[in-house]
Amino acid sequence: RAMLSVTAPFARLFNVAGARRSARSGLRTNTVRSGRSAMTVSATATLPETVLGWDEISAKCHDTETGKKLVGEEALRAKGEGLPHITAKLRLFGHSEEDVRVTLYRDHAGWCPYCQKLWMMFEIKKIPYRTERINMRSYGEKPAWFLKKVPSGLLPVVELDGEIITESLVIMQILENKFPDTCMLPEAGFEKANELLRLERRLFSDWCGLVFRPGMPGPFGGGAKKNFEECLDQVDAALGESSGPWFLGGETPSIVDLQYVSHIERMNASCLYWKGMQLRGTNRWANIEKWFLAFETLPSYHACKSDYYTHVMDIPPQYGNGVSDSNAEVDEAQRVIDGDGWRLPLHLNATSLEPLPESMNHGDEAARHEAAYQLSKNAGAIARFACRGMGEKGAKQFGAPLADPTAVPNLNYEQKVDKALRVTVSLLLDGTAGASVGRTSAEGKETAKCLAYLRDRVGVPRDMSYPAAMQLRAHLNHVIDAL
C-alpha cells in the first residue's frame, strides 16, 4: 500500500510561570484576574477563621462518590487498566506487560495536537503501550536522555520494537499495518482518505490565514474568513456523504477523523476568541456538530480534550499569536474566556459559549468534588507552587509566558496560601459558596496574587476535566474576593 500523501507541516502549556499573558494582545500584565475591579480597602465578604486540616479534608474527598470513583480508577490505572487518563504510564487492555512493544513519547500536558491524535489511536485500537511524557520546548527543557534518542526533540515519537519513528501520520500508518485489529484505514477507503487529508491541509492553511493575520476592513476585506468558511462547508459536506458520524463510515473513527479532530478542536476555541466566530451548534455545519458530539461520547476523547482557555493560552507558543478582530462577538468571547466566566454560580451546559455536552456533564457536584480531590491530593506542592505569585521569575525563561519552571516561590506566604486552599477545597466539597459579594482587601492582596497565579495555570486535561477546572477557578475567585 502506498503511504498517505499528506503530512502535518507544523512543529509542535501550562507549566509554571511569571506574569499573566494576555492572549488577546500578546502582552503581559500583572493584574489579578478575578473579574473584579481594583483592590478595595477591605473585603465585604468573610471566610471561616477555622478550617479543617488536610488529613481531614482528604478523608472527606475520598468519601464522596466522585472521590471513590477516582480512587478506583487510580487503582486500575496502576495496573495498566481502566479508563484512559493523561497520567497513565502503562496501558495493557487485558494483555500482559511482556506483550508491550511500543512506547509513546508525547507532550507532558496533553496540549500537542499531533500527540493527541496518536494517543487516541492507541486507545481506540487497544494497542498495549507505555507512555513517557516530555516537555514541549516552550515549557521547559527536554531531558538529555530523550534528546539522545531523538536529536530533533520533536514530538510525538514512537519506539516500536526498539525502532524510533517520528511524524504523526507516518506513525499512524505503521501502527495500522502492525496492529490491524480495529481497522482505522479501510482498503476501500484509501483514495477517499487521501482526498480528505488534502482537504484537511487546506482547512488548516485557511485557519492559519484567518486567525494569525489581521482582518481586512472594507468591501474587499473578509477574504480569509470567506475562504475558511467555504472550506469548512466542504468538510461538512464530506461528512454528510458518510452513512454515520465518521468520514469513512464504520463503527469507529478512522485515521482521517483523528487527523481532523485535534485541529478542529483548536479552531473552535481560536475562531471564537480571536474572530468572534462560533463554530459549534450551528445549522450551517450541522454534520461537523454531529461528528463532534460522537467524539464527545468516547472515553479516549474525554481523556485528551482541552478547554477554550487552555487552548488560547497554548496556541500562541506553538503556532504564533492570534490577531483579534474588532467586533462585539470578539469582546464577549474574550471577556468570558479570559476569566469573567469564572464566577459562581456557574451555568455549564450544551448551549454555553463553550458547550459542555451531556455526555461529559456529570453535574456540578461531581465537578466540584473532582476539583477538590485533585487539589487535596498534592496540596503541599500546590501551595508552594502558588507562592510563586509573590516570588521571583526563573533565571531562564521559555517561550510560553505562563511557563517558568525555575521560578522561585516566596514561602513567606505559604501558611496563608495553605489556609486559603483549605477553605477553597472545603467550599468545593460542601457546595455552600454562593455568588461573590466581596472584593479583595489591601491586607489580602498578596495572598490573592498567589491564588490568582495558581488559578491562571489550571490546565485541561493536564490537571482535571473542563467542568472541574471551571469549578476550581470560580471557587478560587470566590476566596480571592473575600480575602
Side-chain angles (χ1 to χ4, degrees), residues 52-62 376 379 418 422 429:
L52 297 176
W54 282 117
D55 288 344
E56 294 168 290
I57 288 173
S58 179
K60 282 179 172 286
C61 289
H62 282 70
S376 67
D418 179 87
R422 284 184 284 127
L429 284 170

Side-chain angles (χ1 to χ4, degrees), residues 109-127:
W111 298 323
C112 168
Y114 305 98
C115 299
Q116 180 184 14
K117 60 188 176 185
L118 197 53
W119 179 13
M120 289 188 67
M121 186 175 189
F122 275 98
E123 292 294 328
I124 292 168
K125 291 180 76 68
K126 292 181 167 53
I127 301 170

Side-chain angles (χ1 to χ4, degrees), residues 355-373:
L356 177 62
E358 292 300 320
S359 59
M360 300 179 74
N361 187 355
H362 306 295
D364 284 355
E365 182 178 81
R368 286 190 286 101
H369 290 175
E370 179 191 343
Y373 180 90

Side-chain angles (χ1 to χ4, degrees), residues 33-207:
R33 288 190 303 118
S34 65
R36 298 280 181 173
S37 57
M39 307 292 181
T40 56
V41 174
S42 61
T44 58
T46 58
L47 296 173
E49 287 296 323
T50 303
V51 291
L52 297 176
W54 282 117
D55 288 344
E56 294 168 290
I57 288 173
S58 179
K60 282 179 172 286
C61 289
H62 282 70
D63 199 43
T64 66
E65 289 302 311
T66 297
K68 292 172 183 176
K69 178 183 174 184
L70 292 172
V71 168
E73 289 175 359
E74 287 173 354
L76 288 171
R77 200 151 58 238
K79 297 185 286 188
E81 302 296 345
L83 293 172
H85 193 270
I86 190 165
T87 62
K89 295 181 178 179
L90 177 68
R91 298 288 287 155
L92 293 176
F93 306 106
H95 294 267
S96 69
E97 198 165 346
E98 290 70 31
D99 294 328
V100 178
R101 299 166 53 193
V102 192
T103 298
L104 168 63
Y105 300 89
R106 63 170 176 79
D107 71 301
H108 194 273
W111 298 323
C112 168
Y114 305 98
C115 299
Q116 180 184 14
K117 60 188 176 185
L118 197 53
W119 179 13
M120 289 188 67
M121 186 175 189
F122 275 98
E123 292 294 328
I124 292 168
K125 291 180 76 68
K126 292 181 167 53
I127 301 170
Y129 69 102
R130 293 184 178 85
T131 295
E132 292 284 352
R133 294 159 67 191
I134 308 294
N135 276 331
M136 289 190 285
R137 283 199 176 94
S138 298
Y139 305 104
E141 301 281 5
K142 292 180 184 288
W145 63 263
F146 177 71
L147 292 174
K148 188 174 181 180
K149 281 180 178 286
V150 186
S152 70
L154 294 180
L155 297 170
V157 174
V158 154
E159 190 168 1
L160 172 60
D161 297 331
E163 180 184 358
I164 295 292
I165 309 167
T166 60
E167 295 296 339
S168 58
L169 197 57
V170 172
I171 294 169
M172 293 168 84
Q173 293 173 84
I174 291 172
L175 293 177
E176 178 68 9
N177 289 327
K178 295 286 187 181
F179 302 93
D181 290 349
T182 310
C183 177
M184 295 187 71
L185 187 59
E187 192 76 37
F190 190 74
E191 291 306 318
K192 185 175 183 181
N194 264 319
E195 179 184 332
L196 289 166
L197 289 174
R198 286 191 289 272
L199 178 61
E200 190 272 339
R201 288 293 84 187
R202 275 185 51 208
L203 182 67
F204 181 87
S205 177
D206 288 343
W207 170 63

